[in-house]
Amino acid sequence: MNTILAVETSGPLCSLAICCEGVWTEHTQAVERLHNQVVLAHLEALLERVDVARGGFDAVAFGAGPGSFTGVRIAAALSQGIAFGSGACVLPVRSSLALAVAAVSHVAVDAGTPLLTLTRSRRDAYYLAGFRIGADGRPEPWLVDRLVVGDELPEALASADRMVPPLGVGDRPPWWPDDWQFVTEVRVTAPVIGRLALDAWHRGERLPPEAALPIYVEGDHPWKPAR
């Protein structure tokens, strides 16, 4: 594979990166909820910097969530459209895994340490996933993405005080114990998404453009019943 585009808009960053012949070129900006207004302009600017044609991609990777309801769908739609136009495959990347990988490169984490990623969904709801750090420094999943709601420590973590205290990363919830470490300043950028996608590419996990879809978490939806 020669050229891959990576897109990350599942959080406050609008981050795009192109890997061409093994070299990453990145454009990242904190935009909060303005991704839809700037993402295409950022892509055009990036294409000019690396001199790649709009249809010149072999693969398109994107942060597929769980994350911002709108942001994840912007990344999926953009990736799908570019992949159709380029004849490229798509490589969805789970956002919790990307956050865990970014955390390991940001802070020192001992092998075997439980690492929990938390991303705020809405009000008192958070997406929670759990990883253990392997001897090679790679996060290995042990708790699949789930939605936790409320202001008390989730049952899945209630026995954690009998284990090595976990490291929390992402959006700190109010129920997080004061004696457990939490890191909020970890940034997930497009190159993080792209490198994870390249791993998936080498494993043969290449999908057609129509499979560029968000990752949904059971029980999570933004809609309220009509009254």
Side-chain angles (χ1 to χ4, degrees):
M1 178 173 58
N2 294 320
T3 308
I4 178 174
L5 170 68
V7 181
E8 166 54 21
T9 59
S10 69
L13 298 181
C14 182
S15 182
L16 295 97
I18 294 174
C19 182
C20 187
E21 303 295 344
V23 178
W24 284 98
T25 304
E26 174 188 353
H27 186 114
T28 297
Q29 182 181 3
V31 298
E32 290 301 329
R33 300 182 180 181
L34 302 177
H35 301 80
N36 62 318
Q37 298 182 30
V38 301
V39 67
L40 293 178
H42 287 186
L43 177 58
E44 288 292 333
L46 194 57
L47 288 171
E48 291 180 5
R49 286 172 59 191
V50 296
D51 193 25
V52 173
R54 292 181 181 85
F57 297 108
D58 301 298
V60 183
F62 67 101
S68 161
F69 178 82
T70 302
V72 168
R73 283 152 184 79
I74 288 172
L78 179 64
S79 300
Q80 187 175 101
I82 292 174
F84 270 121
S86 303
C89 68
V90 295
L91 300 164
V93 173
R94 190 171 288 271
S95 295
S96 55
L97 175 59
L99 181 56
V101 168
V104 170
S105 66
H106 181 79
V107 296
V109 186
D110 294 333
T113 299
L115 187 151
L116 302 176
T117 62
L118 284 140
T119 303
R120 190 171 183 270
S121 170
R122 60 188 185 278
R123 300 176 73 176
D124 61 344
Y126 292 80
Y127 301 117
L128 168 69
F131 302 84
R132 289 194 184 280
I133 308 305
D136 59 357
R138 291 173 177 261
E140 299 294 336
W142 64 271
L143 184 65
V144 179
D145 289 299
R146 63 182 60 187
L147 186 73
V148 294
V149 181
D151 56 5
E152 296 183 359
L153 187 69
E155 184 177 346
L157 306 181
S159 61
D161 58 350
R162 296 192 293 272
M163 308 183 300
V164 176
L167 167 66
V169 179
D171 299 320
R172 180 170 179 159
W175 44 258
W176 189 261
D178 291 337
D179 56 346
W180 289 4
Q181 184 182 4
F182 202 99
V183 180
T184 58
E185 59 269 18
V186 175
R187 288 162 41 110
V188 177
T189 59
V192 175
I193 299 295
R195 292 185 179 100
L196 285 169
L198 283 173
D199 290 342
W201 168 280
H202 291 305
R203 293 194 299 267
E205 299 171 9
R206 308 161 195 173
L207 300 176
E210 59 269 24
L213 300 172
I215 293 175
Y216 295 96
V217 175
E218 184 178 357
D220 180 42
H221 59 82
W223 314 118
K224 295 181 180 179
R227 295 182 181 274

